[in-house]
Amino acid sequence: MDKIRIRGGNPLKGKIHISGAKNAALPLMTAALLTDEVLTLCNLPHLADITTLANLLSQHGAELHMNGAAGSEGCAGRVLEIHAKNIATTRAPYDLVRKMRASILVLGPLLAREGHAEVSLPGGCAIGSRPVDLHLQGMQQLGAEIELKEGYVHARAPKGLIGGEVAFPKVSVGATENIMMAAVLAKGTTRMINAAREPEVVDLADCLIGMGAQIQGAGTDCITIEGVDRLHSYTHTVVPDRIETGTYAMAAAMTGGRLELIGARPKHLRSMIDQLAHAGVVIEDSENGMVASRAGSRVIGVDIMTEPYPGYPTDLQAQTMALMSTAEGASMITETIFENRFMHVPELCRMGANITVHGSSALVRGQARLTGAEVMATDLRASFSLIMAGLVADGETVLNRVYHLDRGYERVEDKLAACGADIERLKVE
Ligand SMILES: CC(=O)N[C@H]1[C@@H](OP(=O)(O)OP(=O)(O)OC[C@H]2O[C@@H](n3ccc(=O)[nH]c3=O)[C@H](O)[C@@H]2O)O[C@H](CO)[C@@H](O)[C@@H]1O
Ligand SMILES: C=C(OP(=O)(O)O)C(=O)O
């Protein structure tokens, strides 16, 4: 298990290229199962989660070709071609699904295309119990018969899926995406009410439309889908990662540096930009993306509450807490999406942060200094919050369990080192 060593004190200065979004790329890859033609995805990030899903798709019979940089015309970054000409099996086994919750997104495409699917229940994970009931209820609204047996979802639609109305009692990104993919090949019209509005949902809809689907309203809370008989080949570029963008923007502000984030789309981070403006985080548009810096000698404590898009992203909560741990004044951070997403708190406290948790809120009393320590990554975003703390801490920080980080941040130590950070990966065989 690799470790990352950081010696704090250097402001981040320079340019960072924002990668394609993990949370867009994963559903886009599963959309390839909806057609027997080739789906080409450009700007695909190089991440452990992408490899895990690629393994699952090949297990279903898809052929995958990764051709490195700039493949077909107009296609930038890493390019992945997925050809699911035939579906070899509709069973998504536990040992692959358990590695990554997004694997549940094969359910909608397999059910729509083959009329049945058997997908292992993904189970809970570090940040919360994360049930899939909304995915399953949505499929039932489209006529699927669902049975839970021996840890697997057994879904069947012997006469095919039939469009229906799916009113979500709670906003779910994954359920919106899964139902959208099931509905594009269903007979008739599907209407999703209280749908997720995340840019990754819009990116998936754009790709499906390019493949021949009829979808209206993606990006609003009501999405209408008119089923079609088949989808066809398409080339799609994955949207830039708004969470990676927000993460590096906060790292720039925390270290008192200035970063240009190339490819960033500030419009996808409105809530973070507006709320952190009160903390003294300065975001300016640039020709190629945006520039992040800080107004004063320290950021100022502000209160933050996570919410579904367009609210403040839960995937930026841990990084915001790291930022606030060295702010002037106090900050109340409230997590409303996941019930157990404060595992970075004890680790940040090991570095001198002053944070107390009260239920779903954490009171962060900003400290002038943090000190380096050996710490443990507990989940993906928590990992980066510890890197941020390490970048400003006195002395050396060693981050253990880096595999969490590798799930969702591409070449993190290279990107940071190129901007002045004293950071290195310690390879542990
Ligand atoms: C791969 C991907 O895109 N992951 C993102 C996606 O996860 P994911 O799609 O899993 O998250 P959801 O939006 O579904 O979860 C939101 C909330 O709904 C609950 N819920 C969800 C489904 C369900 O069937 N029943 C249920 O109760 C969850 O436990 C959670 O409390 O959105 C989350 C919320 O923005 C992000 O943190 C994740 O990074
Ligand atoms: C929680 C996250 O991802 P996942 O849903 O894949 O676990 C994340 O990207 O922060």
Side-chain angles (χ1 to χ4, degrees), residues 38 147 269 300 315 328 397 405 411 419:
V38 178
E147 210 185 340
L269 279 168
I300 297 157
D315 292 350
E328 205 168 320
T397 296
L405 190 73
R411 297 186 299 104
C419 295

Side-chain angles (χ1 to χ4, degrees), residues 22-23 26 49 100 102 127 130 315 341 380-381 407:
K22 162 184 88 79
N23 288 349
L26 296 172
D49 273 12
M100 194 185 58
I127 60 176
R130 305 185 75 178
D315 292 350
R341 211 170 193 183
L380 166 56
R381 308 301 168 185
R407 279 190 52 213

